[in-house]
Amino acid sequence: MNNKLTGIAIAAAIAAALAFVYWPAPDGDAPQVAAGIAAAPQGRSLASYLNLDAAPMPAAAPVPVTLAQQLARLAASGKPEDAYAAYNLLDDCIVFQREGRLPGLEFELGREMTAEEKAAQQQLCAGLTQRQREDRLGYLAAAAQGGVPGAATIFLSEGPFGDRSALRNRPDDPLVQAWKRQAIAQLTAQADEAELTSVSTLMMAYLRDGEVVQKDAPQAYGYLLALRQVYDDILAPGVTNPYQDEYWHWLQAELTPEQQAAAAAKAQAIVAKYRQHTGRPAHG
């Protein structure tokens, strides 16, 4: 019965359309026809008749973008920022597969991940391959070399080629030595551009003998002075500056007047660059 009614409706609609197109009314009747068409209530279109028996089509569910697709898109741009995003994407998957959660994300959100968020992360990371794990540090190296804020510090924390133990177990290995030079050069370049994560990382590194650099009090003090002045700019009135003299006077006491002057000049250059980047006025 429905098929029969559908056939009749289709035939009637097609016939009406053909009659209107190929057999127009005489000239004298044209205004009335046009007026009738204009005044007629809007009915169903021909297309709607052709779908009389069709059930409404549900909206298509969005197709999840796979991990491989996201990585391909990020890699194709050639931008250091996208290389850093690719590194973080892979690092998140490695952490999630190990811990079943993303502590960094939960810290930012101020809450635990929901079941839905965990399910989505599980689905995304299910396709993680060994090749992608190996590519992770390559993305990080590209980001650090490209000057992405924070990447140089993460590069240092990963250790030589992702093996932190190499700093202790193979300190004289030429490859490890070259990695250390690269790590410090990247941090220094970023610190000179007033990237505060790098400034802080180098200050802490030069405070004592370590696996990457030896203690260098003048260097540490220069970065300390830069952070003190930048935080004086950033912090609201009345908020204690963690880099003020009362906490760090012992470091200043280790320096000669000449070393203190050189550290102050180094700090001023970094602070000037920071104020240039942020549009803050230079202090006289």
Side-chain angles (χ1 to χ4, degrees), residues 76-250:
S77 78
K79 297 178 180 178
E81 295 81 6
D82 285 343
Y84 197 39
Y87 164 79
N88 284 313
L89 194 62
L90 290 169
D91 196 59
D92 282 349
C93 279
I94 292 171
V95 171
F96 185 81
Q97 289 188 344
R98 183 176 65 241
E99 301 187 21
R101 53 191 282 265
L102 294 176
L105 176 62
E106 291 181 338
F107 178 79
E108 291 180 13
L109 296 175
R111 61 169 175 79
E112 294 183 354
M113 295 176 69
T114 65
E116 291 78 10
E117 289 167 342
K118 289 182 178 180
Q121 190 70 29
Q122 176 64 40
Q123 181 179 18
L124 174 68
C125 300
L128 180 65
T129 66
Q130 183 59 35
R131 175 60 184 272
Q132 289 167 343
R133 289 173 179 267
E134 294 168 357
D135 289 343
R136 180 179 67 101
L137 293 179
Y139 289 126
L140 177 60
Q145 291 168 7
V148 178
T153 292
I154 301 299
F155 183 91
L156 177 70
S157 71
E158 285 282 0
F161 323 110
D163 180 12
R164 297 182 184 89
S165 68
L167 293 169
R168 297 186 303 275
N169 300 334
R170 296 185 286 122
D172 298 325
D173 186 325
L175 292 176
V176 173
Q177 292 286 335
W179 177 90
K180 290 198 292 186
R181 289 191 296 271
Q182 179 183 352
I184 294 302
Q186 289 171 168
L187 284 166
T188 302
Q190 284 298 287
D192 289 346
E193 288 296 314
E195 197 278 298
L196 298 185
T197 305
S198 296
V199 175
S200 179
T201 299
L202 286 174
M203 186 204 79
M204 298 302 296
Y206 284 124
L207 280 176
R208 61 187 62 83
D209 289 341
E211 295 171 336
V212 178
V213 295
Q214 298 300 302
K215 179 178 178 178
D216 189 328
Q219 288 269 35
Y221 191 62
Y223 291 124
L224 168 68
L225 289 179
L227 289 168
R228 178 186 302 165
Q229 294 179 59
V230 166
Y231 274 80
D232 278 342
D233 286 356
I234 294 173
L235 295 174
V239 177
T240 300
N241 188 329
Y243 299 102
Q244 63 188 7
D245 271 337
E246 65 182 90
Y247 300 128
W248 299 94
H249 59 84
W250 57 270

